Amino acid sequence: MTEKSRPQIDPDQPIDFGYETIRAADKQDRVRSVFDSVASSYDIMNDVMSLGIHRVWKDTLIRMINPAADQHLIDLAGGTGDIASRFLKRGGGKASIVDINVEMMMAGRKRPDLSALQNLSWVAGNAEMIPFEDESAELVTIAFGLRNVTDRSRAIAEAFRVLKPNGRFYCLEFSHVQNPAMARVYDLWSSALPGFGQLIAKDSESYQYLVESILRFPPQEELAAMFAAEGFARVKYRNLTNGIAAIHCGWKLD
C-alpha cells in the first residue's frame, strides 16, 4: 500500500501511551513532551536503563549494516545522533537524522564527537510522514523510536517508500525477553527505572511511560509480520541479550 492510498488513522481511535489509553491525535504531543523533558539527560539515562549495553546493541546494528561510502542513511527518531554518528564513523557516505523533537536534536548537536562529522544533517520531521522524496536512501533505521510512533504501520510503510530498490530498513528496539528467569529479573529492574529517572532527570513520570511503552510493544514475530505487510521481503530479526532488545531487518527488493 502506498503512502497516498493508506488511510489516515482515526484521530479519535484509542491508542496506547504506556499503560494509559489516549486519543491517537494526542499521542504525538504527549511523546514530544516526554522527550522535551528528558532530552538533556537522555544519553545518561540510556546507560542507566540498559547498564550501558545499548552501546553494544547499536554497534551490532552498525556491523549488520556494514556502512559504505556510497550509502545514504535516513535515521528516524534519530534524536542525539547515536546511530547516524556510528554510521558515518564506520565509513557511511551521508546520514540524515529525522526527529519530531527539536530539543533532542539540539542536545545531539552539542555533542563534541559529532561536531567534526561531515555529511550529517538534522531534519525536523515525523516518521509517519518522512520529509524525503521516494527512493531517497539506501538505508533507513529507527532505534528505540518505533514504540513511540502513533501509527507504526504507517511509519514502516514510509520507510519502504523512501528506500531505493534493494534498500534495507532496520529497527532496533526493546523487545520481549525469551528466558523466563531473565524476564523476572528484567521486570524487577524495569520497576526501578522511574526512580532512577527522578534521581538523574528529576522526572519519574516520563521514565514510567518509557518502561510501559517497552512492555506494550509488539513481540518479535508480530513486528516481523508488520514489516512483511508493508511490502518488505527477507524479513528477519536478531534477538539481543536474550530478547531484551531485537533488531528487525527488511529489504525493499527491486
Side-chain angles (χ1 to χ4, degrees):
M1 184 177 291
T2 66
E3 163 63 20
K4 291 181 180 179
S5 65
R6 170 176 292 280
Q8 294 281 348
I9 192 169
D10 183 346
D12 292 319
Q13 176 180 322
I15 200 164
D16 63 282
F17 182 78
Y19 288 159
E20 187 180 350
T21 299
I22 63 174
R23 293 172 64 245
D26 297 333
K27 182 165 181 176
Q28 181 173 307
D29 286 342
R30 293 282 297 273
V31 168
R32 182 184 288 111
S33 178
V34 165
F35 285 94
D36 279 346
S37 175
V38 304
S40 62
S41 58
Y42 185 72
D43 290 332
I44 295 171
M45 278 301 298
N46 269 348
D47 283 327
V48 173
M49 290 176 70
S50 69
L51 299 176
I53 300 173
H54 75 98
R55 299 174 184 271
V56 177
W57 297 338
K58 291 169 181 173
D59 288 341
T60 299
L61 171 61
I62 296 301
R63 285 195 299 272
M64 290 174 66
I65 290 172
N66 191 24
D70 61 349
Q71 292 174 333
H72 175 203
L73 167 70
I74 297 174
D75 183 32
L76 305 177
T80 58
D82 267 4
I83 301 302
S85 62
R86 281 172 165 81
F87 173 77
L88 292 173
K89 290 173 183 177
R90 287 287 299 271
K94 181 170 69 171
S96 302
I97 295 171
V98 176
D99 202 302
I100 64 169
N101 191 278
V102 175
E103 292 294 328
M104 290 287 289
M105 292 192 290
M106 289 178 64
R109 296 187 73 156
K110 294 176 183 177
R111 289 174 49 173
D113 62 312
L114 271 63
S115 60
L117 291 177
Q118 301 296 316
N119 300 320
L120 175 62
S121 61
W122 306 76
V123 181
N126 191 332
E128 297 174 49
M129 196 177 296
I130 302 172
F132 283 89
E133 298 294 327
D134 295 357
E135 301 184 358
S136 293
E138 286 78 18
L139 297 158
V140 177
T141 53
I142 185 166
F144 306 115
L146 189 59
R147 71 182 189 277
N148 299 311
V149 172
T150 301
D151 189 340
R152 293 164 187 151
S153 292
R154 188 180 183 88
I156 295 168
E158 274 287 273
F160 189 89
R161 179 185 65 79
V162 300
L163 279 170
K164 296 179 179 179
N166 297 313
R168 290 168 285 158
F169 175 43
Y170 289 88
C171 173
L172 167 60
E173 187 56 87
F174 286 109
S175 197
H176 292 256
V177 182
Q178 303 299 293
N179 180 284
M182 181 178 285
R184 288 192 291 272
V185 174
Y186 180 68
D187 287 345
L188 287 172
W189 176 248
S190 296
S191 67
L193 290 177
F196 284 112
Q198 181 62 36
L199 181 66
I200 295 171
K202 305 297 187 261
D203 184 349
S204 62
E205 290 186 5
S206 292
Y207 283 94
Q208 183 66 44
Y209 158 71
L210 292 174
V211 168
E212 293 173 2
S213 70
I214 292 168
L215 297 174
R216 291 288 300 270
F217 194 67
Q220 289 90 323
E221 291 290 346
E222 183 177 337
L223 183 57
M226 292 171 68
F227 273 47
E230 301 306 331
F232 283 103
R234 300 180 186 171
V235 179
K236 60 182 179 180
Y237 65 86
R238 175 176 176 178
N239 282 323
L240 305 172
T241 318
N242 222 300
I244 291 178
I247 298 172
H248 283 70
C249 175
W251 289 70
K252 179 179 180 177
L253 295 184
D254 193 352

